[in-house]
Amino acid sequence: MARSSADDMELRRACEAAIEGKQKVVLSIRVAKSRGVWGKAGKLGRHMAKPRVLAITTKSKGQRTKAFLRVLKYSSGGVLEPAKIYKLKHLSKVEVIQNDPSGCTFMLGFDNLRSQSVAPPQWTMRNKDDRNRLLLCILNMCKEILGRLPKTVGIDIVEMALWAKENTPAVTNQVSTQNGPATSLVTQNDSQVTVERDLVSQAEEEDMEALLGIYVMGIGEAEAFSERLKRELLALEAANVHALLENESIIEEVLQGLETASICVHDMDEWLGIFNVKLRHMREDIKSVKEKRAEFILLKCTFVRRASEFLRNYFPSLVDLMINDKSYFSQRGLVKRPDHAELRCKCRTYARLLQHIKSLDKNCLGPLRKAYCHSFNLLLRREVREFANELRASTKASRNPNLWLEGPTASSQTANNADTSTSEAYSKMLTVFIPLFVDESSFFVHFMCFEVSTFAPPDAPSVDRTASNGNCTNEENLSKMNAHGNDVKPSNNPAELAMLNECLRELLDGTQEDFYSVVDWACKIDPMCCISMHGITERYLSGQKADAAGFVRLLLDDLETRISVHFSRFVDDACYQIERHERNVRPMGVVPYIPRFASLATRMEQYIQGQSRDLVDQAYTKIVSIMFVTLERIAQTDPKYSDIVLLENYAAFQNSLYDLANAVPTLAKFYHQASESYEQACLRHINMVIYIHFEKLFQFARRIEELTFTIPSEEIPFQVGMSKVDLRKTLKSSLSGLDKAIGAMYRKLQKNLTSEELLPSLWDKCKNEFLDKYGSFLQLVAKIYPNETIPTASEMRELLASM
């Protein structure tokens, strides 16, 4: 027989070199690798076989030993290199392929593979001896190290044991090598175990041979074998009867046990009969729990239907009685506050009925809530409409001009006496109906059995803040209990809150139109009453933030937005009037909108209430910014008089807003801005007047300053046009007839100035500016022309003071 590759020491050394000596090689053998499927082995040779080397290796760590199956492949240079490694502890199955007649092909199954659907590799050996040697080595490793054997398919264990027994001498001859164990049958360690002892022991094998030797089957002759079986059967039966006769006491015990069991069975039968009667009675009772339940359900449905129908008809009839009573609503000359105390007291009579309906059928509450909202919505809309109409008719308000910044200047009486009748009417509207709406919302929540905690604070006051009927006090608390008298623990269920908000919208929707009409009416009469109405709305809105009447908050938000829109429109109109003034005015004197704005601001301050300060400040910012921008444009239409126009108008702005600027920070900011612009315009105009009459003098000073940056000071007198003679000529032409020049300068300031009250301060600024410039000229002359004699600053100051 050809020498097996398992005995190839060169192959083993190559395997050890491939794994770099990290593990001990127990067995190495050449195989051919192909692909297959468990239980469905395909035709051999379907896939091209690849040469591989399988190596059984071990690794010791302390007292523990781990076994591995390594797959090595040949590189392009014919050198072995590791391909895959399997842990033998995961080996679960060894299957020999039945389609291979030689029996040399097998598959190894591992339970830790990621995908069991992938076809496992098939390993083909050269002969059965190599196959048996490898498989026996694997089985031995599993038995010795893991203490268990994998499942085997297609392998005869007895045949393997016999093969191992026959090949044991050959295996043991190869064990004593210098490089460790050479096969998988025997390993040189302290526990030298053989496959025969693991699979079939020597003693078991001898017993099997002896048994087979003493028992002659004789199955060659069918008749003789049949006769022998009959004789043996009769002998066994006779032996059984004899055994029974010898054990009479045992039989008696068995009979007694059977009798006892019979008695128990009889008792059990009686018990079962009793239980059957009881169960029959129970079935009859259950049938009767069902009939009664069906009857009760019918009664419940009938009660809920009739009670719901009664309440759906009751709510409209109750409201119709009040709507048909004209004395209940506001009439000509009489603004009447709505009173729902009696209405709520009548409704509370059926609060317990609603709670019973809810406990019986919660779905019936939806139509009842809608019927209530629809009926009471008609009443509330009628009350609001009649109240608003009579409120507008009874309010006597003088119409104020919308064009505050255009036309004749408003009189001081108009500016100082604000007519607040329209805003008072609006405030009365909110004072009457906002609390009414909140009360109606709270009453609706409790009356219609909504379980929301927002409407039931621990220290919440009574639902009806105006009720005085003592008969309704106890009924009022019914809303906080269920139909059985137990306290209801409210919760903030999102679905419940959404349903509540929808019902409140149906209850109060449409009333906002009359609030809008009152706002529009008030803004049309006096746009500036928007300021006070905005503050009133803010006050009510801040007071409702902790309340859960969602529609009321939305109504107040809408009113505030509508008022802000009206006021913004008024501010935009004012800005348009200012911008239009730019095209219609001649750039001289104070523009009309400066003093008119002072009257407008005074009037606006009288309307401020609460948090409307921001609204007014925003209006100030927009209007004044447009005023200043327009003023600059007007001034630029004639550059000759631009500074005069600016200083006069900025001065007028400061004079008209002096008192308000001390009290209003926003106007104080614009006051300071106007002051700075006034000073700049004054300085430009004064410099222009000074240079007209003393141009040569200060032009000579300017040339001196320019030359000091380029040449030394002592060389300046030697420059062209800068000699002492030139200086004397300049002084003679500029300072001779000085009193006349100063007088002309004064007349120049006075000539185009329309505001005479500004002339004294403007002349003082002009003299101071002239003295500053003249003082600077004297310093330059003293530095460059030290020996020249010219009038001093004191002499010039005395001259100006005397004029």
Side-chain angles (χ1 to χ4, degrees):
M1 183 176 66
R3 182 169 179 264
S4 173
S5 61
D7 302 328
D8 191 347
M9 301 305 298
E10 293 295 332
L11 179 62
R12 180 172 302 178
R13 283 191 288 270
C15 291
E16 291 177 347
I19 64 177
E20 299 178 354
K22 295 180 180 179
Q23 297 175 355
K24 184 177 181 181
V25 179
V26 177
L27 175 69
S28 59
I29 192 167
R30 293 186 178 91
V31 298
K33 176 185 176 182
S34 58
R35 285 287 177 184
V37 180
W38 289 111
K40 297 182 181 179
K43 296 181 180 180
L44 296 177
R46 182 178 178 180
H47 302 287
M48 182 179 295
K50 301 177 183 179
R52 293 289 186 269
V53 174
L54 294 180
I56 308 298
T57 63
T58 60
K59 181 179 180 181
S60 299
K61 186 175 182 181
Q63 298 297 328
R64 297 176 59 187
T65 302
K66 296 182 180 180
F68 304 90
L69 174 66
R70 283 185 170 271
V71 181
L72 298 95
K73 64 180 180 180
Y74 289 96
S75 63
S76 57
V79 179
L80 283 177
E81 58 183 17
K84 287 186 178 181
I85 182 171
Y86 303 94
K87 293 183 179 180
L88 285 185
K89 69 178 182 179
H90 296 299
L91 180 64
S92 60
K93 186 177 181 181
V94 178
E95 179 182 353
V96 174
I97 304 303
Q98 301 298 323
N99 290 354
D100 184 8
S102 65
C104 297
T105 303
F106 61 93
M107 291 191 294
L108 300 176
F110 294 88
D111 57 9
N112 65 333
L113 296 180
R114 293 183 179 178
S115 177
Q116 297 293 338
S117 62
V118 178
Q122 295 180 353
W123 309 102
T124 304
M125 316 299 291
R126 292 194 306 169
N127 48 53
K128 275 192 175 182
D129 291 336
D130 285 354
R131 184 205 73 177
N132 292 340
R133 180 172 293 185
L134 176 63
L135 295 183
L136 284 172
C137 182
I138 293 174
L139 295 175
N140 275 339
M141 287 292 182
C142 293
K143 182 71 175 178
E144 295 173 8
I145 298 177
L146 305 178
R148 64 173 178 82
L149 290 175
K151 179 181 177 182
T152 58
V153 178
I155 302 175
D156 191 343
I157 297 298
V158 177
E159 179 185 352
M160 292 281 289
L162 294 175
W163 182 90
K165 184 176 179 181
E166 294 175 359
N167 292 272
T168 298
V171 173
T172 56
N173 291 338
Q174 300 172 8
V175 170
S176 58
T177 63
Q178 296 180 356
N179 296 319
T183 68
S184 64
L185 299 180
V186 179
T187 58
Q188 294 184 1
N189 51 24
D190 295 338
S191 59
Q192 293 187 357
V193 188
T194 60
V195 174
E196 308 93 273
R197 191 171 63 196
D198 286 335
L199 301 179
V200 181
S201 65
Q202 185 68 29
E204 292 173 343
E205 183 179 358
E206 292 175 357
D207 292 341
M208 291 171 60
E209 291 178 353
L211 180 62
L212 293 173
I214 63 175
Y215 189 81
V216 180
M217 298 293 292
I219 61 176
E221 299 178 1
E223 295 181 357
F225 183 65
S226 175
E227 291 294 331
R228 191 176 71 181
L229 290 178
K230 289 180 181 179
R231 289 195 300 271
E232 291 178 356
L233 179 61
L234 292 175
L236 288 174
E237 290 179 350
N240 290 336
V241 172
H242 181 72
L244 290 174
L245 293 175
E246 289 180 350
N247 298 320
E248 183 178 357
S249 60
I250 298 175
I251 293 174
E252 291 179 355
E253 293 179 0
V254 172
L255 292 176
Q256 292 177 358
L258 290 175
E259 185 176 0
T260 304
S262 176
I263 295 172
C264 292
V265 170
H266 180 70
D267 294 340
M268 183 67 70
D269 182 61
E270 292 182 354
W271 293 343
L272 289 175
I274 295 172
F275 290 149
N276 187 29
V277 173
K278 292 184 177 180
L279 288 174
R280 185 171 66 251
H281 292 165
M282 291 179 65
R283 284 194 293 271
E284 293 175 356
D285 293 341
I286 292 172
K287 182 179 180 182
S288 177
V289 171
K290 288 184 178 179
E291 292 175 354
K292 290 294 184 181
R293 180 178 177 81
E295 183 180 353
F296 289 152
I297 291 176
L298 180 61
L299 289 175
K300 182 194 76 170
C301 295
T302 304
F303 173 78
V304 170
R305 176 175 55 80
R306 291 184 177 180
S308 300
E309 184 178 357
F310 167 75
L311 290 176
R312 284 199 301 270
N313 296 328
Y314 176 74
F315 294 144
S317 63
L318 186 62
V319 170
D320 288 341
L321 289 176
M322 301 190 68
I323 290 180
N324 295 330
D325 185 5
K326 295 183 178 180
S327 63
Y328 178 76
F329 302 100
S330 299
Q331 301 176 16
R332 182 176 299 276
L334 177 63
V335 179
K336 190 171 183 180
R337 178 190 297 266
D339 186 4
H340 289 187
E342 183 180 357
L343 185 65
R344 292 172 191 165
C345 189
K346 291 180 180 179
C347 289
R348 287 194 191 95
T349 305
Y350 301 99
R352 182 73 71 181
L353 178 61
L354 279 170
Q355 293 169 1
H356 284 296
I357 292 175
K358 179 182 179 182
S359 63
L360 293 175
D361 188 359
K362 187 178 292 187
N363 295 328
C364 288
L365 286 178
L368 287 177
R369 290 166 177 171
K370 288 186 177 296
Y372 179 94
C373 293
H374 177 72
S375 301
F376 279 75
N377 178 261
L378 296 176
L379 176 62
L380 291 172
R381 292 173 63 180
R382 173 76 177 277
E383 290 173 340
V384 175
R385 187 182 310 112
E386 297 293 341
F387 190 91
N389 292 337
E390 186 56 32
L391 190 67
R392 289 196 296 267
S394 60
T395 302
K396 304 300 181 181
S398 59
R399 184 179 297 272
N400 290 318
N402 291 333
L403 305 178
W404 274 86
L405 301 179
E406 192 176 65
T409 304
S411 63
S412 59
Q413 183 178 2
T414 304
N416 295 328
N417 296 327
D419 186 2
T420 59
S421 56
T422 53
S423 58
E424 289 174 357
Y426 173 77
S427 177
K428 189 173 183 179
M429 188 85 173
L430 295 185
T431 303
V432 171
F433 285 102
I434 294 302
L436 178 65
F437 289 171
V438 173
D439 289 345
E440 284 298 324
S441 300
S442 300
F443 176 78
F444 174 76
V445 169
H446 300 304
F447 180 62
M448 284 297 172
C449 306
F450 281 94
E451 297 178 2
V452 289
S453 60
T454 315
F455 278 91
D459 56 347
S462 169
V463 174
D464 187 2
R465 302 175 188 174
T466 60
S468 59
N469 191 347
N471 297 328
C472 299
T473 304
N474 294 330
E475 296 293 338
E476 188 175 297
N477 295 326
L478 294 178
S479 60
K480 300 180 181 178
M481 299 182 181
N482 58 17
H484 306 288
N486 300 322
D487 289 342
V488 176
K489 293 183 178 179
S491 62
N492 281 334
N493 186 357
E496 189 84 353
L497 284 175
M499 186 183 302
L500 171 60
N501 288 327
E502 179 64 22
C503 290
L504 290 179
R505 187 190 65 78
E506 294 180 0
L507 177 65
L508 302 175
D509 192 24
T511 57
Q512 68 270 22
E513 299 300 330
D514 293 290
F515 284 90
Y516 297 159
S517 63
V518 171
V519 169
D520 297 341
W521 164 77
C523 294
K524 185 176 181 181
I525 293 176
D526 185 4
M528 280 189 291
C529 73
C530 294
I531 301 172
S532 57
M533 290 195 299
H534 187 276
I536 295 169
T537 309
E538 276 287 341
R539 183 171 68 250
Y540 275 93
L541 191 59
S542 61
Q544 298 297 325
K545 288 190 182 299
D547 203 295
F551 187 86
V552 176
R553 290 200 305 275
L554 293 176
L555 172 62
L556 292 172
D557 284 334
D558 292 342
L559 289 174
E560 184 181 36
T561 303
R562 198 176 189 92
I563 293 169
S564 299
V565 169
H566 277 291
F567 189 70
S568 298
R569 189 176 298 134
F570 167 73
V571 173
D572 292 339
D573 290 341
C575 294
Y576 175 73
Q577 295 169 28
I578 296 171
E579 293 175 336
R580 188 174 61 178
H581 191 78
E582 173 188 353
R583 301 189 295 270
N584 302 329
V585 70
R586 180 172 176 268
M588 288 298 292
V590 178
V591 292
Y593 59 74
I594 295 290
R596 290 172 187 163
F597 174 74
S599 301
L600 177 65
T602 303
R603 181 73 181 275
M604 292 172 70
E605 289 296 319
Q606 296 174 0
Y607 280 95
I608 292 179
Q609 293 186 17
Q611 301 180 6
S612 56
R613 174 82 266 169
D614 294 339
L615 184 71
V616 175
D617 287 344
Q618 293 173 5
Y620 286 158
T621 302
K622 187 170 185 179
I623 294 175
V624 176
S625 299
I626 294 295
M627 286 171 57
F628 287 175
V629 171
T630 305
L631 181 61
E632 294 288 341
R633 292 175 180 171
I634 292 173
Q636 294 302 320
T637 56
D638 191 351
K640 182 178 180 181
Y641 303 105
S642 61
D643 292 329
I644 297 176
V645 173
L646 291 175
L647 66 90
E648 286 185 331
N649 282 276
Y650 283 125
F653 182 84
Q654 296 177 74
N655 294 334
S656 61
L657 291 175
Y658 179 78
D659 294 331
L660 285 177
N662 289 329
V664 181
T666 302
L667 292 179
K669 179 183 69 174
F670 290 109
Y671 182 90
H672 294 302
Q673 180 180 345
S675 178
E676 293 177 0
S677 300
Y678 169 76
E679 294 294 336
Q680 295 173 2
C682 287
L683 183 61
R684 290 193 300 269
H685 183 60
I686 289 170
N687 286 332
M688 183 269 295
V689 172
I690 292 174
Y691 276 102
I692 288 176
H693 298 86
F694 297 95
E695 181 180 6
K696 293 182 179 180
L697 182 68
F698 295 117
Q699 187 68 29
F700 192 86
R702 184 182 300 173
R703 289 200 300 269
I704 294 176
E705 290 177 349
E706 293 174 353
L707 290 173
T708 54
F709 292 106
T710 57
I711 60 176
S713 300
E714 58 272 11
E715 296 183 4
I716 292 177
F718 301 101
Q719 301 299 317
V720 177
M722 300 300 296
S723 63
K724 293 182 180 181
V725 176
D726 296 324
L727 174 62
R728 295 188 187 105
K729 290 180 180 180
T730 301
L731 291 175
K732 183 178 180 181
S733 61
S734 299
L735 299 182
S736 60
L738 184 60
D739 53 348
K740 294 181 180 181
I742 294 175
M745 191 165 57
Y746 178 82
R747 289 189 298 273
K748 181 65 174 177
L749 286 176
Q750 187 183 24
K751 180 179 179 181
N752 297 316
L753 198 64
T754 58
S755 301
E756 294 292 335
E757 65 274 8
L758 296 179
L759 183 59
S761 61
L762 191 62
W763 175 240
D764 291 338
K765 291 179 181 293
C766 182
K767 291 189 292 184
N768 293 333
E769 184 68 20
F770 177 77
L771 290 174
D772 290 340
K773 293 182 179 297
Y774 188 74
S776 300
F777 175 75
L778 291 179
Q779 292 177 2
L780 290 173
V781 170
K783 181 178 179 182
I784 306 300
Y785 310 96
N787 298 324
E788 291 297 321
T789 302
I790 58 177
T792 62
S794 301
E795 295 175 351
M796 190 65 67
R797 186 176 293 107
E798 292 176 357
L799 178 61
L800 290 173
S802 63
M803 296 186 65

XYZ file of all heavy atoms in Angstrom, residues 38 60 98 140-141 228 247 258 261 275 295 304 320 376 384 396 418 426 519 570 587 627 659 674 688 706 728 796 801:
243
model
N -25.808 19.342 2.628
C -26.155 18.304 3.611
C -27.347 17.479 3.113
O -28.397 18.009 2.801
C -26.533 18.908 4.958
C -25.383 19.500 5.717
C -25.174 20.792 5.972
C -24.285 18.804 6.313
N -24.035 20.972 6.698
C -23.457 19.760 6.940
C -23.926 17.451 6.394
C -22.308 19.427 7.622
C -22.773 17.116 7.079
C -21.979 18.074 7.667
N -2.291 24.236 24.350
C -2.466 24.069 25.796
C -2.314 25.409 26.489
O -1.421 26.199 26.171
C -1.442 23.073 26.353
O -1.608 21.792 25.750
N -22.733 9.307 0.659
C -23.150 7.984 0.182
C -23.013 7.856 -1.324
O -22.921 6.735 -1.857
C -24.612 7.742 0.593
C -24.850 7.807 2.097
C -24.069 6.732 2.847
O -23.925 5.607 2.365
N -23.549 7.091 4.006
N -11.163 10.943 18.437
C -10.365 10.826 19.659
C -10.189 12.173 20.350
O -10.291 12.295 21.582
C -8.992 10.230 19.340
C -9.037 8.726 19.322
O -9.936 8.114 19.902
N -8.096 8.099 18.626
N -9.899 13.204 19.546
C -9.735 14.541 20.117
C -11.030 15.005 20.806
O -11.001 15.565 21.909
C -9.356 15.538 19.015
C -7.935 15.375 18.528
S -6.747 15.844 19.796
C -5.221 15.589 18.911
N -38.165 -25.092 16.527
C -37.403 -24.706 17.730
C -38.025 -23.497 18.409
O -38.116 -23.422 19.643
C -35.962 -24.405 17.345
C -35.051 -24.261 18.576
C -33.645 -24.059 18.151
N -33.456 -22.729 17.560
C -32.311 -22.287 17.079
N -31.250 -23.067 17.071
N -32.241 -21.096 16.568
N -46.402 -17.657 43.268
C -46.572 -16.302 43.826
C -48.056 -16.003 44.067
O -48.600 -15.009 43.624
C -45.980 -15.256 42.872
C -44.489 -15.454 42.691
O -43.780 -15.767 43.648
N -44.024 -15.283 41.467
N -57.178 -4.312 42.898
C -58.181 -4.102 41.864
C -59.543 -3.795 42.462
O -60.292 -2.957 41.961
C -58.267 -5.341 40.975
C -57.061 -5.607 40.068
C -57.242 -6.941 39.349
C -56.909 -4.489 39.051
N -59.572 -0.301 43.706
C -59.678 0.618 42.570
C -61.093 0.671 42.028
O -61.609 1.727 41.622
C -58.702 0.204 41.466
N -71.621 16.423 40.346
C -71.062 17.593 39.637
C -71.838 17.906 38.364
O -72.028 19.062 37.998
C -69.586 17.362 39.301
C -68.687 17.365 40.500
C -67.534 16.591 40.536
C -68.997 18.123 41.608
C -66.716 16.591 41.634
C -68.171 18.122 42.713
C -67.030 17.357 42.748
N -81.968 41.941 28.905
C -83.076 42.810 29.288
C -82.571 44.137 29.834
O -83.103 45.209 29.489
C -83.937 42.093 30.323
C -85.162 42.874 30.748
C -85.992 42.128 31.768
O -85.675 40.936 32.035
O -86.948 42.709 32.303
N -81.305 55.631 27.957
C -80.350 56.599 27.401
C -80.963 57.309 26.203
O -80.824 58.530 26.042
C -79.034 55.885 27.022
C -78.138 56.814 26.216
C -78.307 55.399 28.264
N -85.207 79.200 23.672
C -86.255 79.907 22.924
C -87.102 80.778 23.837
O -87.526 81.878 23.440
C -87.154 78.890 22.206
C -86.434 78.240 21.030
O -85.431 78.827 20.571
O -86.852 77.156 20.597
N -77.273 77.378 22.987
C -76.761 78.498 23.759
C -75.942 79.454 22.905
O -75.768 80.615 23.261
C -75.926 77.975 24.931
C -76.756 77.542 26.104
C -77.466 76.357 26.071
C -76.853 78.335 27.235
C -78.249 75.962 27.128
C -77.630 77.945 28.300
C -78.335 76.753 28.269
N -74.828 89.442 22.641
C -73.685 90.275 22.245
C -74.105 91.285 21.184
O -73.704 92.468 21.234
C -72.529 89.382 21.740
C -71.379 90.233 21.215
C -72.027 88.471 22.853
N -71.851 108.895 22.846
C -71.732 110.159 22.125
C -70.263 110.551 22.082
O -69.687 110.988 23.080
C -72.535 111.257 22.819
C -74.010 110.903 23.010
C -74.715 110.633 21.670
C -76.189 110.297 21.882
N -76.872 110.017 20.598
N -58.488 114.343 25.743
C -58.740 113.149 24.948
C -60.133 112.628 25.236
O -60.533 112.483 26.388
C -57.709 112.074 25.273
N -65.639 100.120 24.563
C -64.965 98.845 24.313
C -64.638 98.135 25.626
O -64.812 96.914 25.761
C -63.698 99.098 23.498
C -62.837 97.878 23.310
C -63.184 96.898 22.389
C -61.664 97.714 24.043
C -62.379 95.769 22.201
C -60.866 96.593 23.868
C -61.233 95.630 22.950
O -60.455 94.530 22.773
N -64.721 97.373 17.694
C -63.352 97.848 17.487
C -63.278 98.723 16.234
O -62.671 99.809 16.246
C -62.388 96.641 17.393
C -61.010 97.091 16.920
C -62.281 95.928 18.733
N -53.145 103.685 10.957
C -53.133 105.100 11.319
C -51.710 105.662 11.272
O -51.472 106.763 10.752
C -53.724 105.262 12.722
C -53.482 106.620 13.329
C -54.167 107.744 12.877
C -52.551 106.784 14.354
C -53.941 108.987 13.432
C -52.324 108.020 14.912
C -53.016 109.133 14.455
N -38.748 125.029 0.754
C -37.764 124.797 1.809
C -37.406 126.071 2.566
O -36.297 126.600 2.447
C -36.567 124.228 1.044
C -36.695 124.792 -0.326
C -38.164 124.882 -0.600
N -40.036 111.575 9.774
C -39.950 113.033 9.865
C -38.530 113.515 9.588
O -38.300 114.444 8.806
C -40.395 113.490 11.261
C -41.899 113.421 11.495
S -42.349 113.721 13.216
C -41.604 115.327 13.474
N -40.915 118.913 27.140
C -41.579 118.318 28.306
C -41.802 116.810 28.122
O -41.581 116.015 29.048
C -42.918 119.013 28.554
C -42.721 120.477 28.953
O -41.661 120.785 29.548
O -43.614 121.291 28.654
N -32.012 115.078 17.555
C -32.300 116.382 16.962
C -31.329 117.444 17.460
O -30.920 118.347 16.706
C -33.748 116.785 17.281
N -19.935 128.940 7.095
C -20.184 129.510 5.775
C -20.240 131.035 5.849
O -19.627 131.735 5.012
C -21.504 128.947 5.224
C -21.859 129.411 3.806
S -22.877 130.913 3.795
C -24.360 130.316 4.557
N -0.951 123.773 5.912
C -0.590 122.752 4.923
C 0.912 122.690 4.724
O 1.485 121.602 4.564
C -1.283 123.047 3.603
C -2.811 122.887 3.662
C -3.476 123.329 2.397
O -2.770 123.897 1.512
O -4.721 123.140 2.260
N 1.092 141.033 5.514
C 0.580 142.375 5.816
C -0.576 142.751 4.872
O -1.556 143.385 5.288
C 1.708 143.386 5.685
C 2.813 143.168 6.719
C 3.808 144.308 6.690
N 4.950 144.037 7.540
C 6.152 143.684 7.120
N 6.367 143.593 5.805
N 7.121 143.454 7.972
N -9.973 141.688 19.749
C -11.043 141.226 18.871
C -12.283 140.871 19.688
O -13.416 141.162 19.274
C -10.575 140.000 18.068
C -11.531 139.602 16.962
S -11.677 140.873 15.667
C -10.021 140.807 14.945
N -17.795 142.228 21.433
C -18.714 142.441 22.552
C -19.385 143.814 22.482
O -20.506 144.000 22.955
C -17.968 142.290 23.878
